[in-house]
């Protein structure tokens, strides 16, 4: 008996209600559902729950890192949902992300972590952005911009406490603090630093960085401090400051890799079946005939590939109502073949959706299969999805 088929993926975790599925509130975007090969669903209710958990864990204000289009998820809907939850501090990587976010959130504090590229100071000031000041050159340029505009400009001072990536080294910070008027014209809103090893709770660099940060921050009394990223929030008192900067964990990536994931899953991906078929024992499947059927099999080809950001190395599985359908052969640019033998004949038809990022195969699981981290999987998800936002 053919069953009624869901028009949207079975979201098997954190169960959005049937009503959510039938009538999603909020936004849809990307490619039209009928035309798309795959569907990316963002559960904004789970995002909001993750925000509340992180804020409670942080024991302070919790800012949101929404760089790289909110880790590939979609900065607009994410920022609006977090704003509704009371988030007031937003961090982007690039200036252009900051100006885009300003159009969405007129009242929020928006920090630009990479600072302002030389020559773009006026654009940053006009959007009322708060650049991380990462070098003496950036400080000088920001002061000059303020002078030209005739007002104090907001800024955040980034300390390099041991990551050796961005920010002023300790000696420079101390010199700056000792020099009268070194920051004149700048309205210092935040001092911040970034942890290199926060996802390894026992790594000695965490305490070293936290101690150095506190010592340097003491030179700027009254200025709010910011140290912890997602994993740093789970280091407890060591990294507790005035404003946490949560990114990955908001989007469901496990901030405590050695332990269970306390976050709810935010991103779900399902791919459409393109065609189904059968093969005999000995049949080669996919490029290079990397896979040879050792028995007669039922196959389904799904509309997802490495051009969608699914790593070519990630030999995972698709899931149909919880039944695991392993990938067979190599991942192609636009398609993947799965072993549909575990399903009854006729259970899958063209147009049906099978899940590939779901409770059974999380973003972190896909990352593990590909030898990378969930951050890279999320930010790599491509532009061909039909995108839905629930909640
Ligand atoms: C990306 C970033 C964050 C967020 O880190 P997560 O591990 O995603 O929480 C925080 N601070 C800085 C400086 C960053 O670059």
């Amino acid at each position: 008996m053919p069953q009624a088929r869901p028009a949207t993926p079975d979201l098997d975790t954190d169960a959005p209600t049937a009503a959510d599925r039938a009538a999603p509130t909020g936004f849809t975007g990307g490619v039209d559902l009928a035309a798309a090969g795959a569907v990316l669903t963002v559960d904004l209710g789970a995002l909001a729950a993750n925000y509340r958990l992180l804020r409670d864990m942080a024991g302070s204000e919790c800012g949101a890192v929404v760089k790289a289009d909110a880790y590939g998820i979609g900065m607009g809907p994410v920022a609006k949902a977090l704003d509704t939850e009371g988030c007031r501090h937003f961090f982007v990587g690039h200036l252009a992300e900051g100006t885009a976010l300003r159009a969405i959130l007129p009242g929020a504090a928006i920090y630009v972590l990479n600072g302002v590229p030389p020559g773009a100071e006026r654009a940053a000031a006009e959007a009322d952005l708060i650049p991380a000041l990462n070098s003496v050159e950036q400080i000088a340029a920001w002061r000059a911009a303020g002078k030209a505009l005739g007002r104090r400009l907001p800024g955040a001072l980034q300390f390099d406490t041991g990551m050796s990536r961005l920010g002023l080294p300790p000696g420079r910070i101390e010199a700056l603090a000792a020099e009268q008027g070194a920051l004149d014209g700048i309205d210092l809103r935040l001092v911040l630093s970034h942890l290199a090893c926060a996802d390894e709770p026992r790594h000695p660099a965490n305490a070293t960085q936290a101690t150095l940060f506190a010592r340097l921050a003491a030179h700027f009394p009254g200025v709010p401090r910011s140290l912890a990223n997602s994993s740093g929030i789970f280091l407890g008192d060591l990294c507790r400051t005035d404003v946490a900067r949560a990114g990955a964990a908001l989007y469901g990536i496990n901030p405590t890799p050695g332990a269970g994931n306390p976050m709810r899953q935010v991103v779900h991906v399902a791919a459409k079946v393109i065609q189904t078929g059968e093969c005999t024992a000995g049949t080669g499947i996919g490029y290079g005939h990397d896979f040879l059927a050792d028995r007669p099999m039922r196959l389904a080809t799904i509309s997802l590939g490495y051009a969608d950001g699914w790593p070519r190395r990630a030999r995972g599985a698709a899931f149909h109502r919880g039944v695991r359908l392993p990938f067979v052969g190599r991942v192609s640019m636009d398609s993947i073949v799965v072993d549909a033998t575990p399903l009854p004949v006729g259970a899958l038809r063209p147009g049906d959706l099978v899940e590939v990022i779901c409770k059974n195969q999380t973003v972190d699981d896909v990352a593990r299969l590909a030898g990378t981290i969930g951050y890279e999987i999320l930010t790599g998800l491509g532009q061909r999805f039909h995108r839905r936002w629930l909640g």
Side-chain angles (χ1 to χ4, degrees):
M1 275 305 282
Q3 303 165 12
R5 277 149 210 285
T8 56
D10 253 343
L11 292 180
D12 52 359
T13 50
D14 307 324
T17 63
D20 278 337
R21 275 177 238 171
T25 53
F27 322 77
T28 61
V31 179
D32 184 67
L33 175 59
V39 179
L40 191 160
T41 304
V42 178
D43 185 345
L44 292 173
L47 174 83
N50 286 344
Y51 178 73
R52 292 190 294 268
L53 175 68
L54 291 166
R55 187 184 53 199
D56 292 350
M57 290 286 308
S60 67
E61 286 208 52
C62 187
V65 182
V66 294
K67 62 194 180 190
D69 203 22
Y71 291 44
I73 288 176
M75 184 173 70
V78 164
K80 282 184 194 166
L82 294 172
D83 182 59
T84 303
E85 289 301 316
C87 181
R88 292 295 170 263
H89 301 265
F90 291 84
F91 296 84
V92 297
H94 290 194
L95 173 59
E97 296 170 342
T99 50
L101 184 57
R102 176 56 73 214
I104 297 165
L105 297 180
I110 301 174
Y111 304 85
V112 183
L113 292 167
N114 280 8
V116 179
E121 288 80 9
R122 182 175 281 268
E126 279 168 0
D128 196 22
L129 303 178
I130 309 172
L133 302 167
N134 294 312
S135 65
V136 288
E137 291 83 1
Q138 286 188 348
I139 292 170
W142 199 231
R143 289 180 64 186
K147 201 162 183 190
L149 291 165
R151 61 187 168 95
R152 291 173 83 214
L153 296 180
L157 205 52
Q158 180 150 222
F159 309 161
D160 177 8
T161 57
M163 180 145 172
S164 312
R165 182 180 74 171
L166 277 176
L168 293 121
R172 283 253 188 256
I173 294 292
E174 275 157 353
L176 211 61
E179 185 191 328
Q180 275 296 317
L183 295 173
D184 277 1
I186 292 175
D187 174 12
L188 195 56
R189 298 279 185 86
L190 194 73
V191 292
L192 75 151
S193 190
H194 194 42
L195 298 166
C197 309
D199 58 347
E200 298 175 53
R202 276 184 292 276
H203 200 294
N206 295 321
T208 307
Q209 287 195 266
T211 306
L212 179 55
F213 180 65
R215 181 159 72 71
L216 295 173
H219 290 297
F220 304 91
V223 179
R225 305 173 181 187
S226 176
L227 180 60
N229 66 336
S230 296
S231 294
I233 290 171
F234 290 82
L235 297 176
D237 285 340
L238 183 64
C239 299
R240 187 158 294 133
T241 54
D242 301 297
V243 184
R245 302 188 307 274
L250 281 174
Y251 312 119
I253 290 173
N254 187 1
T256 57
N261 189 352
M263 312 316 299
R264 285 175 58 174
Q265 189 172 348
V266 173
V267 174
H268 305 255
V269 174
K272 279 183 188 167
V273 172
I274 308 167
Q275 71 171 48
T276 58
E278 294 169 356
C279 74
T280 54
T283 305
I285 297 170
Y287 283 118
H289 279 182
D290 225 27
F291 183 91
L292 285 179
D294 61 354
R295 61 201 148 86
M297 295 174 76
R298 276 192 296 285
L299 303 173
T301 306
I302 65 173
S303 190
L304 182 83
Y306 60 77
D308 299 298
W310 189 277
R312 191 167 166 275
R313 284 180 62 191
R315 297 275 181 98
F319 293 83
H320 179 70
R321 297 166 199 257
V323 179
R324 187 169 192 277
L325 313 174
F327 293 180
V328 287
R330 291 186 196 159
V331 170
S332 297
M333 187 185 292
D334 311 310
S335 59
I336 298 170
V337 181
V338 306
D339 177 4
T341 317
L343 294 175
V345 178
L348 277 186
R349 292 191 310 212
D352 285 351
L353 286 164
V354 292
E355 299 179 293
V356 290
I357 293 180
C358 55
K359 183 179 74 182
N360 293 306
Q361 187 168 259
T362 65
V363 171
D364 290 315
D365 293 334
V366 177
R368 211 168 298 117
L369 290 170
T372 183
I373 54 175
Y375 298 64
E376 192 179 20
I377 302 300
L378 276 190
T379 55
L381 293 173
Q383 297 306 312
R384 300 197 295 192
F385 295 97
H386 173 69
R387 288 177 181 252
R388 304 170 61 234
W389 286 272
L390 299 184

